[in-house]
Amino acid sequence: MNHANPQINKHGELQHLITIEGLPREVIEHILDAARPFTELAGEEEKKLPLLRGKSVFNLFFENSTRTRTTFEIAAKRLSADVINLNINTSSTAKGETLLDTVDNLAAMQADMFVVRHAASGAPYLIAQHLAATGRNHISVVNAGDGRHAHPTQALLDMYTIRHYKRSFHDLTVAVVGDLLHSRVARSQIHALSILGVPEIRAIGPRTLMPAGVERMGVRVFNDMREGLKGVDVVMMLRLQNERMQGALLPSPQEYFKNYGLTPEKLALAKPDAIVMHPGPMNRGVEIDSAVADGGQAVILPQVTFGIAVRMAVMNMLAGN
Ligand code: CP
C-alpha cells in the first residue's frame, strides 16, 4: 500500500476507491470517459460484457441502501462477475463477529472485490489496510459510503451527470445545498468539483449544518438560500440526515423547508437551464418540493441510471482492465 495515497498501488494503478480526495484529475476523467460506452449497453438486448468473468464481488452493506447496493449489483453482473450480497442482519456479525474476521472469512472464499458501506467513517480504509498487511493485495475495496467521510462513487456519478448535461466544468457555478455537516456525499462532491476545475462552488445551508472550516475546501458559504442560488448552473440538494444528528440542530422540518427547501420559487433564482440533482433518498416537503423533484429541471432519476455505468467503469478499472 502506498502511504502517500493508499488507493494507489506500487505500480501507480488505482487499487481501491476509498475517497475522491487526492485523486488525480486524470483518474476521475478516465473513469467518466470509460463510463460513457457502458451507458449505451442499457439499450442493448445483450447487456453483459465478459470483463469481470471469473471474479467474485462481495457487497457488504452494514447500513441501509437502495440505489448504491442495487446499482453495484447490476454493474457487477453486467460485467459478468459473480455477485454475493451478504445479508448483514442474518450474518454472523449479529453474533458478534468483528468486521475484520468477517473480511478474512470472505477473503478465504476467493473474493476479488469488497464493496463496503458502513456507519463508521474509515471502515473501508481499515479493510484495505488489513488486506495489505495480510498480503492480500489482489483484493480491491470500494467505499460505498462510510459515516460522514466519503461516498466516492456517488460523487463520480454526479460528475458524470453534470458533464452529460453541461458538457464541461470550467465555467460552472454549482451549489451544494442543505445538511453539509453530516453529509459524506457533500464532501466527496466538493472534492470532485474542485479537482475537475469548477470555478465557483457554493455551500448553502444553516450555520448549524455547516461544517467548521468548510471554506478551506474552496467553497463560498451562503446561509441565505435565495442569495446562494442566484445564477447557479447546478443545484445539488442534500438529504437532511436526521439519523446522524445529535441534539436539536433545527427548529422543525417545516421551518427548514421554509428556509432551505427547494421550491419552484427559489429555483427560479438559478439560471433558467439549471439542473437539479439529489443523491436520494429524498425527503419530499423537507429539503425539496415535489413540484421540483418531479419537474422538468430535475435529473435525479438519470443520476441513478448513470450510476450503473460509472460503477461498471470503477470496478473495471480496479480489476486492472
Ligand atoms: N445515494 C445513496 O447513497 O442512496 P442509497 O442510500 O439508497 O444507496
Side-chain angles (χ1 to χ4, degrees):
M1 190 178 250
N2 173 344
H3 287 283
N5 190 336
Q7 309 182 95
I8 311 281
N9 69 18
K10 62 183 180 201
H11 308 294
E13 298 155 346
L14 196 68
Q15 165 80 31
H16 307 288
L17 182 61
I18 309 288
T19 175
I20 297 289
E21 192 176 2
L23 274 190
R25 180 176 177 150
E26 309 80 68
V27 171
I28 297 181
E29 287 178 338
H30 179 80
I31 292 169
L32 303 187
D33 291 343
R36 195 165 173 189
F38 293 140
T39 60
E40 284 153 22
L41 270 183
E44 303 288 327
E45 199 168 311
E46 178 53 65
K47 295 185 175 57
K48 281 197 183 228
L49 295 170
L51 296 166
L52 260 67
R53 184 172 288 158
K55 305 273 184 198
S56 297
V57 175
F58 283 71
N59 271 334
L60 311 181
F61 279 65
F62 294 86
E63 243 192 14
N64 294 344
S65 168
T66 297
R67 283 144 289 267
T68 313
R69 200 204 61 73
T70 314
T71 53
F72 263 114
E73 180 172 353
I74 296 169
K77 285 181 172 167
R78 286 200 182 158
L79 294 169
S80 306
D82 295 319
V83 184
I84 299 93
N85 294 307
L86 190 71
N87 185 338
I88 301 300
N89 293 328
T90 57
S91 75
S92 292
T93 303
K95 299 180 195 162
E97 186 170 66
T98 67
L99 177 63
L100 295 183
D101 278 335
T102 301
V103 163
D104 284 342
N105 281 273
L106 300 178
M109 300 174 203
Q110 279 82 47
D112 294 290
M113 202 174 288
F114 291 124
V115 178
V116 183
R117 170 168 291 191
H118 206 286
S121 299
Y125 178 65
L126 181 75
I127 295 172
Q129 242 186 346
H130 177 69
L131 291 170
T134 51
R136 289 169 292 183
N137 292 309
H138 60 284
I139 304 178
S140 291
V141 178
V142 188
N143 182 359
D146 63 328
R148 296 186 194 186
H149 171 233
H151 194 344
T153 58
Q154 178 68 44
L156 290 170
L157 75 89
D158 291 339
M159 297 307 112
Y160 188 94
T161 306
I162 293 175
R163 197 170 78 165
H164 177 85
Y165 288 100
K166 297 290 169 192
R167 300 290 159 208
S168 79
F169 295 95
H170 75 272
D171 55 356
L172 295 182
T173 300
V174 178
V176 182
V177 185
D179 180 5
L180 277 85
L181 180 65
H182 302 99
S183 178
R184 57 195 175 206
V185 171
R187 283 173 54 85
S188 291
Q189 287 171 334
I190 292 169
H191 283 304
L193 291 166
S194 165
I195 293 167
L196 290 170
V198 170
E200 180 150 346
I201 308 169
R202 299 182 184 175
I204 305 175
R207 279 189 183 81
T208 49
L209 295 181
M210 203 55 75
V214 68
E215 296 87 350
R216 287 198 292 275
M217 293 180 80
V219 301
R220 277 181 74 192
V221 174
F222 291 81
N223 299 123
D224 180 334
M225 186 174 182
R226 287 178 176 79
E227 268 310 302
L229 285 180
K230 281 183 188 161
V232 304
D233 298 281
V234 179
V235 187
M236 305 175 89
M237 297 305 297
L238 298 171
R239 184 171 66 86
L240 205 54
Q241 318 237 337
N242 288 310
E243 76 277 18
R244 297 201 190 111
M245 287 188 200
Q246 284 158 350
L249 294 174
L250 295 169
S252 69
Q254 294 78 10
E255 190 74 9
Y256 183 81
F257 183 66
K258 192 170 134 224
N259 291 313
Y260 297 100
L262 187 62
T263 56
E265 170 257 325
K266 291 198 198 95
L267 179 58
L269 296 164
K271 286 196 181 147
D273 63 348
I275 56 169
V276 175
M277 301 170 61
H278 194 304
M282 285 188 283
N283 293 309
R284 290 171 184 261
V286 179
E287 73 260 356
I288 192 163
D289 190 312
S290 281
V292 175
D294 303 326
Q297 287 171 264
V299 296
I300 296 166
L301 294 178
Q303 282 177 262
V304 178
T305 308
F306 292 144
I308 298 172
V310 168
R311 289 175 172 130
M312 287 173 80
V314 167
M315 287 194 279
N316 196 37
M317 192 176 195
L318 293 176
N321 294 328

